[in-house]
Amino acid sequence: MKKKEIDTFINEDERIIQTEYSDVMKKSFIDYAMSVIIARALPDVRDGLKPVQRRVLYDMHELGIKFDKPYRKSARIVGDTMGKYHPHGDSSIYEALVVMTQDFKKGMPLIDGHGNFGNIEGDGAAAMRYTEARLEKVTQEAMLADLDKDVVDFIPNFDETEKEPSVLPCKFPNLLVNGSEGIAVGMATNIAPHNLSEVVDATKAYMRNNDITTEELMTYVKGPDFPTGGIVVNQSELLDIYTTGVGKVKVRGKVEIEELKGGKVNVVITEIPYTMIGANISKFLSDVAALAENKKTNDIVDISNQSSKDGIRIVFELRKDADVNNFINMLYKKTRLEDTFGVNMLAICDGRPETLGLKRIIAENVKFQFEVNTRKYNKLLAKELDKKEIQEGLIRAVNVIDLIIEILRGSKDRNMAKSCMIEGKTDGIKFKSKESKIMASQLNFTEKQANAILDMRLYKLIGLELEALLNENEETIANIARYTDILENKDSMAQVIMDELDEIKLSYGHERKTVIEDAEEVVYEEKKAEVIDVMFLMDRFGYARNVDMGTYDRNKEVIDSENLFVFPMKSDGKVCIFTDSGNLHTLKAKDLPMGKLRDKGVPIDNISNYDSSNEHFLTLCCQEDVNNKRFIFVTAASMMKIVDGSEFDVSKRTIAATKLNDGDSLVSVFELSEQKNIVLQTKDGVFLRFGIEEIPEKKKNAVGVRGMKLAKNDLVEAVHYTQNAGNNIITYNDKPFDLHVKVKPGHRDTKGTKIRN
């Protein structure tokens, strides 16, 4: 081959397609998103199942793990499902299996679990190697029963080595009964469980009148029926939710009051909101404990969680003089004992995700039932017609059995005898008489009838067997008539579907657990905490706390020596924290623990916006004092000003206390009281003393004025204040240093005096 020919061949074979990278990414992401939406996260409106749930149930059906058979290890089910149908990891498969066993999550569990499958308080299921499972009876009878009758389409599995159903032939609206939750790409579904009996009644009502309204359907489906019970308190809003498919259902836990001897009262929670399942129960208990610790309530004597397999029982023992109703209202208002269930009835309908209302979900399920039953009865009818054809052939054959035997004895092989019975061909067959040959030439059995006659055993010639065959033929004819009527008459098929729904309701229906009502808004009157005088303490490590004034008075010397900041304040007051970054952080006194003398306290980082890793506090003071005073601000670049404290009377937790130039930082924030002079000290040992009156008053968002002319790379590192007379001695270079004597008076914005060692 020549070189030119080789080049041409390579260029043709490569087939390089040039396209925009953004277009490739867009298409790839859309493909991925649709795969997650359709094949992973959202349920199908027809059977109410996600693909992983459907595959688990079908695999159990294929393995023969039926409700009346022994349990099988969950690991066996998970492994088989993953290997055949769902190659996305064993954890997602086992999680789906576990959820379908939990009666506190599902309105009607689809799998019968044996072993530890978790509990309502959030404890997880045991490993799959320990637990066992089998199908529930309702799953076997109402979701998998007719798979052998070609009622649904089967599609190839991921590697095209197996077939799996695209949907299960569920005989009731499972999407409503068991609900669903899932998060896809850019969308999520959250459908509440409902009462099976009510859903069946609503489905039948729709079948009787397709023009029924959502409001009329809700005379049957009152609202969600959560497995955990509880009380839905916004009944008037449910119509809009079930019409649009989105909204918020408000749910409260059920509370009972138990009166004890001695005037004591127990408040007992016997049912919880559906949203509190799992770890939220322990969070609820910790939230109530926090309310007690923060003095929101003083009514609680003891809290005990006495929940068991028999149900929820959370007991609050209250004081004798407690306001019980106000305490219950506090639980509803301050904890998740009253919560909202966000409804988003999103499901796969006709191959795409849609938000569906109550009527649409029922309508789609009824439509599916007609499709399933049409395929089912077409299959049954074809089977009965085949039986009828064979039965009629056998009956005719018995009537001319002598001729049949003569044909069989005179034929050389099966095909010769078969051709005679079907087409009347007598060539090559030996007959006893011409009459027999003539009769044989008149036979016209069908091929199926001929095969059945040739396969017929001699015992069929017994009189009783012939009678049974005649009876069976009559039954077949009756079945054909019935199946034909069902297929040709929509009302007949509807009646079949409704009869099946009645059987399901009779066998598996139960009373409603969740109460539906319009309740009044909870009114909780929070008792105002008594305002007392406290002493704020913070040590050099940033741990802060409050102590009562009596503790401080008894231990004044110890407290003053061990803490960096000590000042009085009100128990409802605030603490102001000025930092070198120019920020002012505030924290509420009530957020601080009321400690004893040797208690450690809490880091101020944990209860305020102050971040010790990025800034350092300069001073702390009570906000009441800040409002009535003035403060001197000095920065490292020697910018200074006086700011009135009223500038800092704000409600925000963090504000800018001053404006700083780039690279500058605060060195000192000091309360202005009786100081006469200010002394600036730099890191190079330069001191400048001048009168306070030279510092102008500015707003907090101003930079200020220059206090001292600094040499290159020099910075202010300390600020001192003096009186005209008195003790003005500091320590400088480890020696006493009298500011009043050593530093001569000067003026602001001058160079100052360098002090030699």
Side-chain angles (χ1 to χ4, degrees):
M1 188 180 287
K2 296 180 181 179
K3 184 178 186 301
K4 186 177 180 181
E5 292 175 338
I6 294 173
D7 291 341
T8 303
F9 173 77
I10 291 174
N11 289 337
E12 289 177 355
D13 188 60
E14 283 180 349
R15 295 181 182 177
I16 297 173
I17 300 173
Q18 293 185 349
T19 185
E20 286 289 335
Y21 184 72
S22 59
D23 293 340
V24 174
M25 289 297 294
K26 181 179 179 181
K27 182 179 183 304
S28 299
F29 181 77
I30 290 173
D31 291 344
Y32 160 74
M34 288 305 295
S35 174
V36 173
I37 292 167
I38 302 297
R40 297 286 291 277
L42 300 184
D44 193 299
V45 69
R46 295 171 293 177
D47 61 5
L49 298 173
K50 299 179 188 179
V52 63
Q53 296 171 322
R54 187 179 302 116
R55 288 163 178 166
V56 169
L57 296 178
Y58 178 66
D59 185 74
M60 294 178 72
H61 173 72
E62 286 294 284
L63 291 174
I65 313 174
K66 301 181 180 180
F67 68 91
D68 54 353
K69 295 290 191 290
Y71 294 96
R72 296 282 289 277
K73 283 289 184 183
S74 299
R76 173 73 169 90
I77 301 167
V78 171
D80 202 62
T81 303
M82 183 167 60
K84 289 182 178 178
Y85 310 115
H86 197 77
H88 300 293
D90 57 358
S91 59
S92 62
I93 299 172
Y94 186 51
E95 183 180 351
L97 187 152
V98 168
V99 170
M100 286 191 286
T101 68
Q102 295 175 329
D103 58 2
F104 53 87
K105 280 191 177 179
K106 294 294 180 183
M108 186 171 63
L110 302 177
I111 295 177
D112 179 11
H114 181 66
N116 177 15
F117 278 91
N119 59 37
I120 196 171
E121 296 187 48
D123 296 325
M128 68 180 82
R129 61 183 177 274
Y130 299 120
T131 59
E132 297 176 330
R134 64 184 178 189
L135 291 170
E136 286 279 6
K137 187 177 182 182
V138 64
T139 312
Q140 193 68 42
E141 293 181 347
M143 302 187 78
L144 298 161
D146 294 325
L147 279 174
D148 58 340
K149 296 181 177 65
D150 189 35
V151 291
V152 294
D153 293 331
F154 276 73
I155 57 177
N157 69 337
F158 62 93
D159 61 0
E160 299 188 356
T161 59
E162 301 279 346
K163 292 283 189 179
E164 61 175 307
S166 59
V167 65
L168 294 186
C170 183
K171 297 180 180 179
F172 60 94
N174 180 55
L175 185 63
L176 288 173
V177 174
N178 274 323
S180 186
E181 60 179 10
I183 300 174
V185 179
M187 57 184 67
T189 184
N190 201 29
I191 303 173
H194 293 78
N195 186 273
L196 173 64
S197 300
E198 294 179 0
V199 171
V200 166
D201 291 341
T203 304
K204 289 169 60 182
Y206 172 81
M207 293 177 70
R208 288 190 293 266
N209 175 18
N210 291 168
D211 296 325
I212 192 171
T213 64
T214 301
E215 186 174 6
E216 290 170 332
L217 283 173
M218 289 188 64
T219 60
Y220 303 98
V221 178
K222 311 294 184 184
D225 187 23
F226 297 110
T228 55
I231 307 168
V232 171
V233 296
N234 60 331
Q235 184 178 18
S236 58
E237 298 176 17
L238 295 184
L239 176 59
D240 183 59
I241 293 172
Y242 282 111
T243 302
T244 62
V246 294
K248 293 182 178 180
V249 175
K250 292 183 181 179
V251 193
R252 289 180 189 169
K254 188 175 180 181
V255 179
E256 296 180 356
I257 299 173
E258 295 180 353
E259 296 183 1
L260 306 177
K261 294 180 179 179
K264 289 187 177 181
V265 172
N266 281 355
V267 170
V268 182
I269 299 172
T270 57
E271 295 176 7
I272 59 173
Y274 186 66
T275 53
M276 202 190 283
I277 290 174
N280 286 324
I281 294 180
S282 58
K283 186 180 185 306
F284 164 72
L285 294 172
S286 63
D287 287 346
V288 177
L291 290 172
E293 289 176 5
N294 295 332
K295 308 299 182 184
K296 295 289 184 182
T297 178
N298 296 317
D299 295 335
I300 301 175
V301 175
D302 186 39
I303 304 174
S304 61
N305 186 0
Q306 301 174 12
S307 303
S308 64
K309 293 180 180 179
D310 298 327
I312 293 293
R313 181 176 169 82
I314 300 173
V315 181
F316 298 97
E317 185 181 339
L318 304 185
R319 293 186 297 109
K320 289 183 181 180
D321 57 344
D323 186 340
V324 178
N325 290 329
N326 197 52
F327 175 78
I328 294 173
N329 288 344
M330 181 196 71
L331 295 180
Y332 285 140
K333 204 74 174 177
K334 298 289 186 179
T335 72
R336 296 189 68 173
L337 193 61
E338 178 176 306
D339 205 357
T340 56
F341 180 91
V343 176
N344 189 19
M345 298 166 76
L346 184 71
I348 303 300
C349 182
D350 294 330
R352 64 182 184 181
E354 286 191 48
T355 301
L356 309 170
L358 174 65
K359 181 179 177 179
R360 180 76 183 283
I361 291 176
I362 293 175
E364 289 295 332
N365 185 264
V366 170
K367 175 183 171 184
F368 178 58
Q369 292 306 317
F370 274 97
E371 292 173 0
V372 165
N373 279 277
T374 298
R375 294 178 64 162
K376 173 183 175 180
Y377 284 104
N378 272 323
K379 181 80 172 179
L380 291 175
L381 179 60
K383 187 177 179 180
E384 292 297 317
L385 288 172
D386 286 345
K387 284 172 62 177
K388 177 176 177 289
E389 181 182 344
I390 293 170
Q391 289 166 355
E392 288 176 346
L394 292 176
I395 292 169
R396 283 179 57 198
V398 170
N399 291 332
V400 291
I401 193 62
D402 293 334
L403 178 61
I404 298 296
I405 293 172
E406 193 172 339
I407 293 171
L408 293 175
R409 294 183 67 180
S411 299
K412 294 180 180 180
D413 54 33
R414 180 185 176 99
N415 287 336
M416 183 179 288
K418 185 176 178 181
S419 297
C420 180
M421 285 188 285
I422 296 174
E423 302 173 6
K425 292 181 179 180
T426 58
D427 297 340
I429 301 176
K430 295 179 181 180
F431 291 94
K432 293 180 180 180
S433 64
K434 290 182 179 181
E435 290 80 3
S436 296
K437 187 173 183 178
I438 294 170
M439 290 176 63
S441 65
Q442 296 173 352
L443 293 177
N444 60 347
F445 290 102
T446 65
E447 185 173 356
K448 289 181 181 179
Q449 290 174 337
N451 285 326
I453 293 167
L454 291 170
D455 294 335
M456 183 176 65
R457 297 187 178 184
L458 290 176
Y459 77 86
K460 289 287 186 181
L461 301 176
I462 300 172
L464 291 176
E465 287 295 326
L466 178 59
E467 186 178 347
L469 185 61
L470 291 169
N471 293 336
E472 187 179 337
N473 181 243
E474 289 180 7
E475 184 180 343
T476 301
I477 293 171
N479 286 339
I480 290 172
R482 178 168 172 264
Y483 297 159
T484 302
D485 177 59
I486 291 172
L487 290 168
E488 294 178 355
N489 190 334
K490 186 177 180 181
D491 290 339
S492 298
M493 183 175 287
Q495 190 59 51
V496 169
I497 296 171
M498 287 193 284
D499 289 344
E500 289 181 339
L501 287 171
D502 285 335
E503 290 179 12
I504 293 170
K505 176 183 175 181
L506 182 64
S507 300
Y508 308 107
H510 57 80
E511 293 294 323
R512 163 173 282 278
K513 296 178 181 178
T514 301
V515 176
I516 308 290
E517 64 183 24
D518 268 323
E520 294 181 1
E521 185 73 22
V522 168
V523 178
Y524 166 59
E525 296 180 3
E526 187 171 347
K527 295 179 180 178
K528 293 183 178 180
E530 182 183 358
V531 179
I532 60 173
D533 292 322
V534 296
M535 191 65 73
F536 171 83
L537 315 178
M538 193 184 85
D539 62 23
R540 59 192 179 91
F541 301 108
Y543 283 80
R545 67 191 190 279
N546 291 330
V547 296
D548 61 72
M549 298 303 291
T551 300
Y552 176 73
D553 292 339
R554 291 190 298 272
N555 304 277
K556 185 177 184 303
E557 292 184 6
V558 175
I559 291 174
D560 288 345
S561 63
E562 292 181 352
N563 290 280
L564 196 60
F565 293 97
V566 179
F567 53 81
M569 63 185 300
K570 297 292 185 181
S571 59
D572 64 345
K574 292 182 180 180
V575 177
C576 292
I577 307 169
F578 291 94
T579 71
D580 61 353
S581 62
N583 289 327
L584 168 62
H585 304 291
T586 60
L587 65 89
K588 295 179 181 179
K590 65 180 182 179
D591 292 335
L592 291 161
M594 196 72 173
K596 298 179 181 178
L597 178 63
R598 294 301 174 189
D599 286 348
K600 191 174 184 180
V602 296
I604 57 170
D605 303 53
N606 295 357
I607 52 176
S608 69
N609 290 340
Y610 170 70
D611 183 2
S612 60
S613 62
N614 295 320
E615 56 186 349
H616 302 285
F617 56 79
L618 298 176
T619 189
L620 277 74
C621 51
C622 173
Q623 190 176 49
E624 278 188 358
D625 294 338
V626 170
N627 294 342
N628 301 319
K629 296 178 180 178
R630 296 193 299 162
F631 292 85
I632 302 174
F633 284 73
V634 181
T635 75
S638 185
M639 303 305 293
M640 59 196 317
K641 63 182 176 181
I642 294 174
V643 181
D644 191 278
S646 61
E647 291 264 317
F648 308 117
D649 186 13
V650 292
S651 58
K652 293 182 179 179
R653 294 188 68 188
T654 298
I655 62 167
T658 187
K659 184 177 181 180
L660 295 174
N661 291 324
D662 292 344
D664 201 1
S665 63
L666 267 179
V667 173
S668 173
V669 179
F670 205 83
E671 176 191 338
L672 177 63
S673 55
E674 298 179 355
Q675 301 97 323
K676 299 297 183 182
N677 302 291
I678 184 171
V679 181
L680 304 182
Q681 175 188 340
T682 74
K683 68 174 184 177
D684 288 344
V686 178
F687 287 77
L688 175 63
R689 176 162 68 102
F690 56 89
I692 295 290
E693 66 275 3
E694 294 190 43
I695 306 173
E697 185 170 326
K698 300 278 186 180
K699 296 293 184 180
K700 71 175 188 295
N701 56 358
V703 175
V705 298
R706 185 167 62 181
M708 181 180 188
K709 291 181 179 179
L710 298 174
K712 187 176 181 180
N713 297 327
D714 198 9
L715 295 172
V716 175
E717 69 173 4
V719 180
H720 312 287
Y721 297 94
T722 72
Q723 304 291 346
N724 287 329
N727 187 11
N728 299 304
I729 298 175
I730 65 169
T731 300
Y732 178 62
N733 288 336
D734 298 327
K735 296 178 182 178
F737 185 83
D738 192 327
L739 294 171
H740 198 67
V741 174
K742 297 284 187 180
V743 183
K744 295 180 181 180
H747 293 283
R748 183 184 65 77
D749 202 20
T750 56
K751 290 186 177 180
T753 305
K754 187 173 180 65
I755 304 298
R756 304 292 179 183
N757 290 339

